[in-house]
Amino acid sequence: MTSIPKHLQDAKTLLSENGFATGDTWYHGTSSALIDSIKGQGLKRSGDKALNQAAVKTMATIGNNYTESVEPVFLTQSKELAYYWAQQTVRERSVRFEGEEQPVVLEVNLSEKQRAKVRPDVGAMSLLMMSVGEQFMAHLAKVYQENKIAGPDIDLRTADRMDYLNKLGMAYIDEDISRACLVELSESELSKPELSEA
């Protein structure tokens, strides 16, 4: 696991005994390979078309009918956690696609009406039971530890739904997000390039 770029380290300001504080801004981790498409269309539900098509092809080869489900747009209140998921996206894509991809974190500035539609991602429970989830929980434990906070002590099966948001930093919105709401976070935070200007 590469270290988290300095400009994305926000756990120390967000994390307390109650978990990650939530503000008006959300974050989404993705791969540099998807940025041009996001600049054109915004964040779409079930956004990674190439990866979805690859999964359909794989299932077809083994004689399985694979129906794509519409995934919501996944969000987190922490740049640091968004970077973790961006790394996972890059790793997942590298298995199927050639090329150098980099983790990218997007700042998501939703309208008040949209912010009210952001939900704790309780559906992540099934993901967290798998090895990818175990890796995330281990990573999360390290983040808590580095900030001298015990946790996250959570039983995924019986946890309160808000624990998924507060303690695990997992949320989603079940609608597409327009490009005008998105800013790519680069190291020069002062000159934040608006995606819509590209």
Side-chain angles (χ1 to χ4, degrees):
M1 180 74 64
T2 54
S3 61
I4 292 153
K6 220 173 183 53
H7 69 290
L8 298 176
Q9 293 175 14
D10 60 0
K12 54 184 171 291
T13 54
L14 291 181
L15 203 51
S16 73
E17 299 293 338
N18 303 322
F20 290 88
T22 303
D24 288 345
T25 307
W26 294 94
Y27 301 96
H28 177 83
T30 189
S31 164
S32 54
L34 303 174
I35 285 297
D36 284 345
S37 161
I38 292 168
K39 281 178 181 175
Q41 304 172 20
L43 276 174
K44 296 281 188 198
R45 286 169 293 177
S46 300
D48 194 342
K49 293 275 181 279
L51 206 54
N52 293 339
Q53 281 162 358
V56 171
K57 273 190 196 138
T58 305
M59 290 306 193
T61 7
I62 57 173
N64 223 331
N65 283 342
Y66 175 75
T67 20
E68 257 183 73
S69 57
V70 177
E71 295 281 334
V73 175
F74 296 103
L75 301 170
T76 177
Q77 65 271 55
S78 161
K79 296 177 207 172
E80 209 162 307
L81 294 185
Y83 184 76
Y84 175 87
W85 292 113
Q87 287 179 306
Q88 297 310 305
T89 302
V90 168
R91 197 166 294 139
E92 231 173 271
R93 288 178 54 83
S94 71
V95 174
R96 296 184 184 269
F97 308 114
E98 295 290 316
E100 273 298 300
E101 299 188 16
Q102 299 303 317
V104 175
V105 173
L106 299 173
E107 182 180 291
V108 182
N109 298 295
L110 300 170
S111 67
E112 202 174 325
K113 196 173 157 194
Q114 281 180 305
R115 285 199 302 265
K117 295 178 183 173
V118 175
R119 302 273 175 265
D121 189 8
V122 181
M125 181 173 77
S126 54
L127 165 83
L128 295 174
M129 299 289 188
M130 300 188 300
S131 66
V132 66
E134 284 168 20
Q135 289 161 16
F136 173 65
M137 294 303 275
H139 171 76
L140 202 55
K142 203 167 140 245
V143 171
Y144 273 79
Q145 222 169 4
E146 282 165 2
N147 290 281
K148 299 180 179 31
I149 294 169
D153 183 18
I154 179 171
D155 179 339
L156 296 169
R157 289 185 188 84
T158 59
D160 181 85
R161 57 194 309 275
M162 289 309 289
D163 284 350
Y164 279 85
L165 176 63
N166 301 330
K167 294 187 176 169
L168 306 181
M170 299 181 99
Y172 72 90
I173 185 167
D174 199 8
E175 58 182 56
D176 298 341
I177 298 172
S178 85
R179 62 187 189 176
C181 300
L182 305 172
V183 177
E184 183 179 346
L185 295 184
S186 61
E187 298 217 24
S188 53
E189 286 280 75
L190 301 171
S191 59
K192 282 187 182 175
E194 288 254 351
L195 284 183
S196 49
E197 287 171 5

